[in-house]
């Protein structure tokens, strides 16, 4: 049997309890209850196998030995809910129940009707021209048509001029499904018509499609102004459907708590000729976009906060979105004016403004999400991982190190060794600033350079070097050339100033040069970046070193940090690129090695190459 009858679950709940007093409950109670579900429950696919279970249980009246009708109702409720896995199903015992009829709106004097509307609808225009609208009942089509002109005058015409709207459904637990297209349509365009939702009614076995309306009373709010819907665990039924539809149409952002997970239609049906009633969801919503529903599970908010914090959170989101155009346009201008490669900067700026115009940034909910999206877009558009949003972290004040502290710092920053065949090995993982290195140059020479300068060949390991300032590159390169003449190492173009700086070897150095004749191999990896790449680029271009390992990161010269107007957003923009007259730049592309090998194999490969060279020279 595909499903066990809820009766089985109910009996399991009872366990071994024996009732000695027998209540006067008709034997048909369970079967009548099951038939009501079979004929009315909104998801018949969950009832597969129910008929067979009814037949098997029709002669089993043991459960009817429960003497108290309320206890029996609770047991039946537990059985029904656990069997069908739907907490909306409820059995109750109500001897005095009188069906509630929805009262029709009687003709009322205008003054009285205005008073009713003002009491049931809360409206305000908050600071920053943010509209606030709270409705605790979703009006149906008939009522809306009767009082439409008053709604327009008292409510809607005051909302229309606002720059954004916060629609408060935290207290909305009732309504009529015919009101859904009216609400949704005010936040969509007249054309094309949109299939908003579908309602399947089990009792009639019909599906009604809800579409946006081509004509409305008054003007539409439109599709571009921010719309925030507030929800709580008390948001129920039709209000959930409104929130779910606008969320999946990408027209609204939901802020607050997950909703109740109710139903578009609940029927309370008498069970046979008894005082028992069963509440059954007899219709369900099927969203055309998701193919699913919010019922039972509830509507999950885009920004989940406690209901009491939802309004304040929504105001923050609206205020942030009001800043977004200035942030994106300001970012585009900064990139166009400062990015190292002018053509790329102009292209990125144009495409970034295009993303803004197409609404790509209309759904940001926090400064963090805006910054993350902007960074991702900049890197996608430029192919440059150094072009991104950054923080404006102030530089640390210079440390007042003693000579002994400098020595210890240098020891942990550099690793030197003399390998077999008198091959020098030098590793350091970041370049320093020239002005900071200059005062301690003699210490570095004594404790690092002098250990490897007298070797017959050298391996410089930059596999883990992530860059740093490039101001010391010229000086470091100079050690690997002779001092009899200056050599042009590179030309660096600075975009903001429009100037080009020539980088030459230095004629005066601290310590002894390694010279231009001894073999030099540089090890690289995909992590080798920035200043380290400039060093590799120069020595490879000038034929001074063999590169072994992996293609480098393809980073950039140290980027500059720019504030985006007064928005507290900062951009990291590479502004300098190397000379491209003799070939493509390494920025963004990386430097391919002469001998490509995995990074972990690069050292052994280099040692093998140099050992053979040195052996051949003997």
């Amino acid at each position: 049997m595909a499903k066990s009858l809820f009766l089985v679950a109910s009996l399991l709940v009872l366990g071994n309890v024996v009732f000695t007093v027998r209540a006067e409950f008709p034997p048909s109670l369970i079967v009548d209850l099951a038939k009501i579900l079979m004929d009315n429950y909104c998801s018949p696919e969950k009832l597969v196998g129910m008929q067979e279970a009814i037949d098997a249980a029709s002669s089993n009246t043991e459960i009817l030995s429960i003497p108290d009708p309320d206890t029996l109702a609770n047991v039946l409720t537990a059985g029904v809910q656990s069997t069908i896995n739907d907490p909306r199903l409820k059995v109750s015992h109500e001897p005095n129940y009188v069906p509630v009829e929805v009262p029709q709106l009687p003709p009322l004097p205008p003054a009285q009707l205005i008073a009713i509307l003002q009491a049931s609808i809360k409206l305000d225009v908050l600071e920053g021209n943010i509209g606030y609208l709270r409705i605790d009942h979703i009006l149906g089509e008939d009522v809306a048509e009767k009082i439409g002109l008053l709604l327009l005058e008292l409510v809607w015409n005051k909302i229309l001029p606002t720059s954004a709207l916060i629609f408060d459904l935290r207290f909305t637990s009732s309504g009529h499904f015919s009101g859904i297209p009216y609400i949704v349509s005010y936040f969509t365009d007249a054309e094309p018509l949109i299939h908003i939702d579908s309602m399947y009614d089990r009792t009639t076995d019909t599906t009604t499609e809800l579409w946006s309306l081509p004509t409305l009373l008054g003007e539409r709010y439109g599709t571009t102004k921010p719309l925030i819907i507030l929800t709580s665990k008390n948001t129920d039924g039709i209000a959930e459907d409104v929130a779910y539809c606008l969320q999946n149409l990408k027209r609204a952002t939901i802020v607050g708590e997950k909703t109740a997970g109710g139903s578009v239609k609940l029927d309370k049906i008498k069970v046979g000729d008894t005082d028992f009633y069963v509440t059954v969801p007899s219709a369900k919503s099927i969203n055309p976009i998701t193919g699913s529903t919010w019922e039972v599970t509830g509507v999950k908010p885009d920004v989940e906060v406690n209901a009491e914090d939802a309004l304040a959170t929504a105001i923050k989101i609206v205020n942030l979105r009001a800043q977004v155009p200035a942030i994106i346009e300001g970012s585009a201008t900064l990139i166009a004016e400062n990015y190292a490669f002018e053509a790329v900067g102009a292209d990125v700026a144009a495409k970034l403004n295009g993303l803004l115009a197409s609404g790509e940034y209309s759904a940001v909910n926090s400064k963090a999400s805006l910054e993350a999206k902007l960074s991702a877009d900049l890197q996608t558009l430029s192919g440059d991982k150094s072009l991104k949003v950054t923080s404006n972290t102030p530089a640390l004040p210079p440390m007042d190190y003693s000579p002994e502290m400098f020595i210890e710092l240098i020891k942990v920053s550099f690793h030197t060794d003399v390998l077999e065949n008198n091959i020098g090995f030098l590793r350091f993982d970041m370049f320093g600033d020239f002005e900071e290195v200059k005062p301690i140059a003699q210490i570095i020479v004594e404790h690092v350079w002098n250990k490897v300068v007298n070797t017959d060949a050298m391996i410089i390991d930059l596999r883990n070097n992530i860059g740093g300032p490039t101001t010391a590159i010229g000086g470091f390169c100079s050690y690997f050339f002779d001092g009899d003449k200056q050599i042009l190492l590179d030309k660096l173009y600075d975009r903001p100033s429009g100037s080009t700086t020539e980088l030459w070897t230095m004629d005066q150095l601290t310590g002894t040069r390694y010279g231009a004749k001894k073999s030099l191999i540089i090890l690289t990896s995909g992590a080798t970046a920035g200043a380290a790449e400039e060093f590799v680029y120069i020595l490879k271009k000038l034929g001074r070193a063999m590169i072994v390992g992996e293609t480098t990161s393809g980073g950039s010269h140290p980027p500059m940090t720019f504030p985006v107007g007064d928005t507290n957003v900062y951009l990291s923009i590479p502004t300098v690129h190397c000379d491209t007259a003799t070939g493509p730049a390494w920025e963004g592309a990386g430097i391919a090695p002469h001998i490509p090998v995995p990074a972990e194999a690069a050292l052994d490969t280099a040692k093998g190459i140099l050992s053979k060279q040195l052996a051949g020279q003997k």
Side-chain angles (χ1 to χ4, degrees), residues 401-603:
Y401 291 114
S402 66
E404 292 77 16
M405 294 173 66
F406 270 125
I407 291 171
E408 291 304 314
L409 181 61
I410 288 168
K411 285 180 178 179
V412 299
S413 300
F414 293 87
H415 176 68
T416 60
D417 199 0
V418 178
L419 309 175
E420 187 178 358
N421 296 315
N422 197 32
I423 298 171
F425 176 83
L426 173 62
R427 171 185 167 179
F428 58 101
D429 295 342
M430 182 174 285
F431 280 81
D433 180 72
F434 179 76
E435 294 301 324
E436 294 178 1
V437 171
K438 188 177 180 180
I440 59 171
Q442 187 60 45
I443 298 176
I444 295 175
V445 167
E446 291 177 8
H447 292 274
V448 179
W449 185 243
N450 286 348
K451 293 181 180 181
V452 294
V453 70
N454 294 317
T455 55
D456 296 326
M458 187 182 296
I459 297 171
I460 299 178
D461 188 353
L462 299 182
R463 289 176 294 178
N464 296 290
N465 194 302
I466 58 174
T470 56
T471 51
I473 294 293
F476 188 47
C477 287
S478 299
Y479 281 91
F480 301 97
F481 294 93
D482 296 330
D484 56 345
K485 63 176 180 179
Q486 279 192 301
I487 296 173
L488 179 61
L489 301 173
D490 199 2
K491 294 179 181 179
L492 301 180
Y493 172 69
D494 180 72
R495 178 72 193 292
S497 66
S499 62
T500 299
T501 301
E502 293 183 341
L503 189 63
W504 292 80
T505 54
M506 300 171 63
D507 53 2
Q508 298 293 324
L509 296 174
T510 302
T512 306
R513 295 174 185 266
Y514 201 70
K517 297 179 177 60
K518 291 190 284 187
S519 295
L520 177 64
I521 291 181
I522 302 175
L523 309 185
T524 60
S525 76
T528 306
E533 292 182 278
E534 174 68 6
F535 177 73
V536 173
Y537 170 77
I538 290 171
L539 294 192
K540 180 184 179 185
K541 178 181 68 171
L542 297 177
R544 179 60 190 91
M546 176 184 291
I547 315 303
V548 175
E550 299 170 342
T551 298
T552 61
S553 171
S556 70
H557 287 264
M560 291 181 63
T561 298
F562 293 85
V564 183
D566 298 323
T567 63
N568 200 31
V569 174
Y570 296 86
L571 293 187
S572 167
I573 303 179
T575 59
V576 174
H577 71 75
C578 66
D579 184 17
T580 56
T582 58
W586 56 265
E587 293 95 340
I591 303 158
H594 293 104
I595 301 178
V597 295
E600 59 271 17
L603 179 57

Side-chain angles (χ1 to χ4, degrees), residues 21 53 56 72 96 98 168 252 263 267 342 353 421 426 467 497 582 617:
V21 180
L72 176 57
N96 301 316
V98 177
D168 193 348
S263 174
D267 289 334
E342 184 173 352
N353 281 325
N421 296 315
L426 173 62
S497 66
T582 58
Q617 294 172 6

Side-chain angles (χ1 to χ4, degrees), residues 219-476:
E219 296 179 33
R220 296 172 190 261
Y221 199 71
T223 58
T224 57
K225 293 190 285 188
L227 173 63
I228 312 291
I229 296 178
L230 309 185
T231 59
S232 75
K233 61 185 177 182
N234 298 315
T235 306
D236 200 353
I238 301 303
E240 294 182 271
D241 200 87
V242 169
Y244 192 72
C245 289
L246 287 168
Q247 182 186 50
N248 285 291
L249 287 170
K250 308 297 184 186
R251 181 59 191 93
T253 298
I254 313 299
V255 175
E257 298 170 341
K258 188 169 74 169
T259 61
S263 174
V264 290
K265 183 184 178 187
L266 288 173
D267 289 334
K268 197 168 189 176
I269 303 173
K270 187 177 179 69
V271 182
D273 189 20
T274 71
D275 291 325
F276 287 94
Y277 292 83
V278 57
T279 300
V280 184
S282 58
K284 65 180 178 180
S285 160
I286 305 170
N287 187 275
I289 296 173
T290 65
S292 186
T293 183
W294 46 266
E295 297 179 55
V296 179
T297 59
V299 180
K300 181 175 174 58
D302 299 296
V303 180
E304 194 160 358
V305 296
N306 292 331
E308 57 268 26
D309 299 325
L311 177 57
T313 302
I315 292 172
K316 288 180 181 178
I317 292 173
V318 171
N319 288 334
L320 171 67
R321 291 183 184 177
Q323 292 182 305
V324 165
I327 292 173
I328 302 304
E329 291 167 0
S331 297
T333 298
L334 286 172
I335 293 164
E337 293 177 351
N338 296 283
Y339 187 67
F341 296 94
E342 184 173 352
V344 174
D347 183 62
V348 169
K351 289 178 178 177
L352 189 62
N353 281 325
L355 291 177
L356 175 66
S358 66
E360 284 290 315
Y361 285 87
S362 62
V364 294
N365 298 326
S366 66
K367 183 172 179 282
S369 66
L370 169 62
E371 291 178 339
K373 176 170 175 53
L374 180 54
S375 275
D377 286 343
L378 291 178
Q379 292 175 7
T380 298
L381 295 174
S382 67
D384 187 342
K385 60 179 72 74
S386 298
L387 180 60
K388 59 186 178 181
V389 177
T390 188
S391 59
N392 187 34
T393 305
L396 294 173
M399 298 291 290
D400 186 16
Y401 291 114
S402 66
E404 292 77 16
M405 294 173 66
F406 270 125
I407 291 171
E408 291 304 314
L409 181 61
I410 288 168
K411 285 180 178 179
V412 299
S413 300
F414 293 87
H415 176 68
T416 60
D417 199 0
V418 178
L419 309 175
E420 187 178 358
N421 296 315
N422 197 32
I423 298 171
F425 176 83
L426 173 62
R427 171 185 167 179
F428 58 101
D429 295 342
M430 182 174 285
F431 280 81
D433 180 72
F434 179 76
E435 294 301 324
E436 294 178 1
V437 171
K438 188 177 180 180
I440 59 171
Q442 187 60 45
I443 298 176
I444 295 175
V445 167
E446 291 177 8
H447 292 274
V448 179
W449 185 243
N450 286 348
K451 293 181 180 181
V452 294
V453 70
N454 294 317
T455 55
D456 296 326
M458 187 182 296
I459 297 171
I460 299 178
D461 188 353
L462 299 182
R463 289 176 294 178
N464 296 290
N465 194 302
I466 58 174
T470 56
T471 51
I473 294 293
F476 188 47

Side-chain angles (χ1 to χ4, degrees), residues 3-33:
K3 276 189 176 289
S4 60
L5 180 62
F6 59 87
L7 173 59
V8 178
S10 303
L11 291 175
L12 288 174
V13 171
L14 293 174
N16 295 321
V17 178
V18 177
F19 296 96
T20 57
V21 180
R22 188 170 186 82
E24 295 299 325
F25 300 134
S28 62
L29 174 64
I30 296 172
V31 173
D32 289 341
L33 176 59

